[in-house]
Amino acid sequence: MVPVEILGVRQQQRDQEIVVLLLDSAADLAIPIVIGAREASAIAMAQAGLATPRPMTHDLLRDVLGAVGVTLERVEIVALEGGIYFAELVLSNGVHLDSRASDAIALAVRTGSPVLCSAEIVALAGVEIVDVDQQAEVERFRDFLDHVTPEDFLGPPGGGTQGGGGRTG
């Protein structure tokens, strides 16, 4: 199991699916999990610190756990079968409860509990994170390499040699 960070909820432009993104920062991989609109709202609201006038189901579950003296130790994303993610709630009393991944994540956000994901799932479903600024810099460098000439490395016209005569320091 590897720790993952809940990046947030996004709507994919190509097919309008809503996903929650988990980040394995050690591997620079994001794990997109397709979720429903209600679960997306529950996760996003909790991440934003927004309270509802009445408790949502995930708030109620958090409160019930607290009322019986049990805490959510962690959430584990344990399986991926046929495009469906399976999770477990690991409670402080040692009990493991089967859960939908989206519900487990919504509860983890509300309790501040860590989320772990099977390394196998990360390897199978993880998508490489692309840093747009870094990608632009690489493109500029490739363009430079495509057009560079030996003359580009000569010193200024009539200015002698570069790197000159001696070392300092």
Side-chain angles (χ1 to χ4, degrees), residues 1 6 19 36 49 56 61 65 97 107 111 127 134 161-162:
M1 292 294 216
I6 303 164
V19 297
M56 294 178 71
L61 182 53
L65 288 173
L97 297 171
L107 186 58
T111 60
V127 178
Q134 184 180 15
T161 62
Q162 279 189 317

Side-chain angles (χ1 to χ4, degrees), residues 94-133:
V95 172
H96 289 232
L97 297 171
D98 182 32
S99 176
R100 296 186 320 164
S102 58
D103 289 331
I105 293 166
L107 186 58
V109 172
R110 284 166 170 72
T111 60
S113 302
V115 178
L116 305 175
C117 188
S118 157
E120 181 179 295
I121 292 172
V122 172
L124 182 67
V127 178
E128 189 173 355
I129 301 286
V130 177
D131 182 331
V132 175
D133 293 335

Side-chain angles (χ1 to χ4, degrees), residues 5 18 36 39 71 73 75 77 95 101 118 144 161:
E5 176 186 342
I18 301 172
E39 293 81 4
T71 59
E73 290 288 316
V75 164
I77 310 297
V95 172
S118 157
F144 168 76
T161 62

Side-chain angles (χ1 to χ4, degrees), residues 23-137:
L23 174 66
D24 175 359
S25 57
D28 282 334
L29 295 173
I31 300 93
I33 299 176
V34 177
I35 60 174
R38 290 178 194 244
E39 293 81 4
S41 176
I43 293 168
M45 287 179 64
Q47 282 189 310
L50 301 175
T52 57
R54 302 288 300 142
M56 294 178 71
T57 304
H58 304 100
D59 299 316
L60 178 62
L61 182 53
R62 176 202 58 212
D63 295 345
V64 167
L65 288 173
V68 297
V70 175
T71 59
L72 177 63
E73 290 288 316
R74 66 186 175 278
V75 164
E76 295 180 351
I77 310 297
V78 294
L80 173 59
E81 297 174 16
I84 298 171
Y85 290 84
F86 293 79
E88 289 184 356
L89 304 176
V90 180
L91 304 180
S92 59
N93 62 3
V95 172
H96 289 232
L97 297 171
D98 182 32
S99 176
R100 296 186 320 164
S102 58
D103 289 331
I105 293 166
L107 186 58
V109 172
R110 284 166 170 72
T111 60
S113 302
V115 178
L116 305 175
C117 188
S118 157
E120 181 179 295
I121 292 172
V122 172
L124 182 67
V127 178
E128 189 173 355
I129 301 286
V130 177
D131 182 331
V132 175
D133 293 335
Q134 184 180 15
Q135 189 174 13
E137 183 65 28

